[in-house]
Amino acid sequence: MHRRGGAGLAGLERLQQSQRSFATLSSQLSRAQIDNLHAELAHFRAALTHFATNHRADIRRDPTFRRAFTQMCAQLGVDPLAGPRKGGWWEDALGLGDWQAELAVQIVDVCVSTRERNGGLIDMTDLVRLVSRMRGVDGGAITEDDVVRSLKALRPLGAGYEVVDFGDGRKMVRSVAKELDADQMAVLAISQAHGGRVDAQMLVEQRGWTPERARAVLNIMLLKDGTCWLDDQDGPNGDGVAYWVPATMQWGE
Amino acid sequence: MGLSTYLTPSGFLLPSIHSAPPFFVQQPNPATQAVVTEQWTRLVLSYARHRRLFFLRLDDAAAPTGEWAEVLHNERINRAPLPPHLALVLAHMVAKGLAAYEPPRQSRTVLLHWRLPEEWAEVLHDWAVGTGQLNTILTFFEIAEPEVESPLVGIPAPLLRAAIAVLARTGRAQAISIPDGEGVRFFSGRATK
């Protein structure tokens, strides 16, 4: 009872046969696409390397150019920091891996050496200024952007360096692995608006906190973290208590 | 409000931390206090060198005028270290050999070592050689109040004694007691022990 239709053993075989053909065709097509993509990628990589090599000096010297370049890389989905880890072509082309690592070391140096003074919390502009000074004048100009990228490079080390953004354009870098809770952020924001000075009364008036809450937060920052300093000669009679946050004080040269 | 350096009437440049109110206050956090103490130590010694001051007393903290007023009082922010805070700084300096309680066995007055006794020893010997006073007996008075201006003007006797002791160890000086006080004889540096 053979039927030349779809059913039966022969029909099954024919179906399998055609599926195999389609599969072959499909893999041929995708291989062509992949080859094409590989070629394009190689081309792109060559172009990018060419660009990077040509403008290496500019990238390393000029902060604005460097920012534009890294932004371009970000849009293309290329991570300048990934280079040194994977094959090193980026490193060869740019030397930016070294540059970034060197900057990271300087940032850590500044953060650690000022930690006793500021309790591990430093204003971004201060950090940029101190690092710039350490780098000297020759091609040492850096921007906040560079600092942020270098700190990103440090992240795998688990050192806990983090950028704290106040949302009003001011940023700080925290170099000790501890959480800044919302209350401490509020204290920092208020002290920032008053040249570094803050007292319990200000927190009560401006945040609606209870005096106990204000004192508790300030005491933690003062005694445990060392992020603020005590002034017990405050006020007209010299017997008031105020707190000063070195990270938000404007230090002259 | 920015913190800036300040040039005092005597021509001393105060660091910007001197205009920060908490700098004058004893800090409850030991790590913070260590920074404050270190900064005070540096400030006291450099001001002492600037004005050639040899002694610092706890009472200077309470005196709004006087030779230490520029440093111990910041009238622009109305701050001064309290005596216990200053005592803490002085104790730190004594422990580090940067000062000595003088007279000994009290802790209200220190003799400042803005030059260490070893450094004074070299200054002293250089002066003796430079003014041709080797092998003669000199009184402490002649050294501290010389007829010609010298780097040793006003040097207190305890510091001079310490410097001479350093030189004596290498055979470059010998302390001598004379009828009306103390004296010293210097020898050339090449003399063997």
Side-chain angles (χ1 to χ4, degrees):
Chain A
M1 295 273 265
H2 294 282
R3 273 200 276 147
R4 306 193 73 101
L9 265 181
L12 190 62
E13 228 162 75
R14 263 201 307 280
L15 187 65
Q16 280 175 339
Q17 175 67 40
S18 68
Q19 271 174 348
R20 268 198 297 277
S21 313
F22 276 123
T24 322
L25 185 62
S26 135
S27 69
Q28 268 170 359
L29 276 176
S30 23
R31 195 174 307 120
Q33 270 176 344
I34 288 170
D35 286 348
N36 196 12
L37 216 57
H38 270 305
E40 265 179 36
L41 203 62
H43 185 71
F44 167 71
R45 182 174 289 192
L48 196 60
T49 312
H50 183 67
F51 179 85
T53 326
N54 273 354
H55 297 280
R56 186 204 309 236
D58 286 330
I59 290 170
R60 299 188 62 157
R61 197 187 54 240
D62 182 357
T64 332
F65 192 83
R66 184 162 63 239
R67 186 181 147 77
F69 180 73
T70 46
Q71 269 179 346
M72 181 185 82
C73 288
Q75 274 166 10
L76 294 171
V78 180
D79 183 1
L81 293 178
R85 284 199 298 272
K86 297 180 195 158
W89 74 271
W90 191 263
E91 168 94 323
D92 294 343
L94 209 52
L96 202 60
D98 267 352
W99 188 90
Q100 204 73 252
E102 175 205 11
L103 179 60
V105 169
Q106 288 163 334
I107 291 170
V108 170
D109 192 341
V110 168
C111 285
V112 170
S113 62
T114 58
R115 193 177 286 171
E116 287 198 320
R117 176 149 69 87
N118 56 33
L121 198 61
I122 187 167
D123 189 84
M124 181 65 97
T125 48
D126 273 347
L127 179 61
V128 169
R129 183 168 57 84
L130 291 171
V131 171
S132 301
R133 194 196 301 167
M134 183 184 282
R135 297 172 68 84
V137 275
D138 194 25
I142 56 155
T143 62
E144 286 190 14
D145 240 37
D146 296 324
V147 172
V148 172
R149 241 176 307 110
S150 277
L151 291 179
K152 203 169 114 196
L154 287 178
R155 201 168 295 158
L157 298 177
Y161 283 66
E162 199 179 308
V163 178
V164 181
D165 198 335
F166 283 88
D168 59 351
R170 294 202 54 163
K171 294 195 188 81
M172 290 200 180
V173 173
R174 190 172 55 79
S175 65
V176 283
K178 68 181 164 226
E179 281 300 314
L180 281 177
D181 58 31
D183 283 6
Q184 298 194 10
M185 290 286 282
V187 172
L188 290 178
I190 288 183
S191 74
Q192 211 159 46
H194 296 87
R197 185 186 171 282
V198 60
D199 62 33
Q201 190 61 29
M202 289 157 88
L203 294 167
V204 171
E205 279 167 14
Q206 297 181 27
R207 297 279 157 164
W209 292 359
T210 61
E212 291 74 27
R213 179 174 172 191
R215 271 197 295 274
V217 174
L218 289 169
N219 268 323
I220 287 174
M221 293 178 73
L222 175 71
L223 297 171
K224 196 161 139 277
D225 301 348
T227 39
C228 70
W229 289 19
L230 175 72
D231 176 19
D232 60 8
Q233 301 180 22
D234 191 61
N237 302 323
D239 56 0
V241 175
Y243 301 80
W244 290 77
V245 184
T248 60
M249 287 156 80
Q250 279 138 40
W251 297 89
E253 282 301 308
Chain B
M1 168 186 152
L3 307 167
S4 55
T5 55
Y6 180 79
L7 191 67
T8 69
S10 81
F12 183 76
L13 188 68
L14 290 167
S16 49
I17 197 171
H18 193 263
S19 52
F23 179 55
F24 292 83
V25 174
Q26 195 173 329
Q27 296 299 317
N29 184 319
T32 309
Q33 181 58 40
V35 179
V36 172
T37 303
E38 190 54 47
Q39 293 286 336
W40 269 113
T41 301
R42 208 176 301 167
L43 181 59
V44 162
L45 287 178
S46 55
Y47 188 72
R49 190 179 297 116
H50 169 74
R51 297 266 318 252
R52 291 189 65 85
L53 302 176
F54 288 97
F55 291 97
L56 177 57
R57 298 161 194 84
L58 285 192
D59 298 336
D60 289 321
T65 55
E67 51 193 10
W68 282 98
E70 288 180 348
V71 162
L72 294 183
H73 285 257
N74 187 338
E75 61 211 14
R76 284 158 286 122
I77 56 171
N78 195 26
R79 292 290 185 286
L82 295 175
H85 187 199
L86 188 59
L88 195 77
V89 173
L90 298 188
H92 169 82
M93 294 176 72
V94 170
K96 287 268 190 145
L98 298 170
Y101 289 125
E102 183 59 44
R105 284 183 292 281
Q106 53 82 44
S107 54
R108 297 194 62 84
T109 304
V110 295
L111 174 59
L112 298 166
H113 292 171
W114 41 270
R115 276 195 187 114
L116 296 174
E118 292 75 17
E119 293 165 331
W120 278 114
E122 294 310 316
V123 172
L124 185 59
H125 196 262
D126 288 351
W127 171 80
V129 172
T131 53
Q133 313 214 54
L134 292 181
N135 301 313
T136 57
I137 293 175
L138 292 163
T139 64
F140 275 22
F141 181 80
E142 285 172 304
I143 295 172
E145 311 284 337
E147 285 164 22
V148 184
E149 179 83 8
S150 90
L152 297 155
V153 171
I155 184 170
L159 205 47
L160 198 49
R161 225 172 277 136
I164 290 167
V166 172
L167 291 176
R169 260 181 258 144
T170 51
R172 292 189 290 166
Q174 181 190 12
I176 289 167
S177 55
I178 50 175
D180 52 348
E182 289 171 272
V184 59
R185 185 168 21 199
F186 294 103
F187 307 106
S188 147
R190 274 182 283 278
T192 50
K193 284 190 215 180

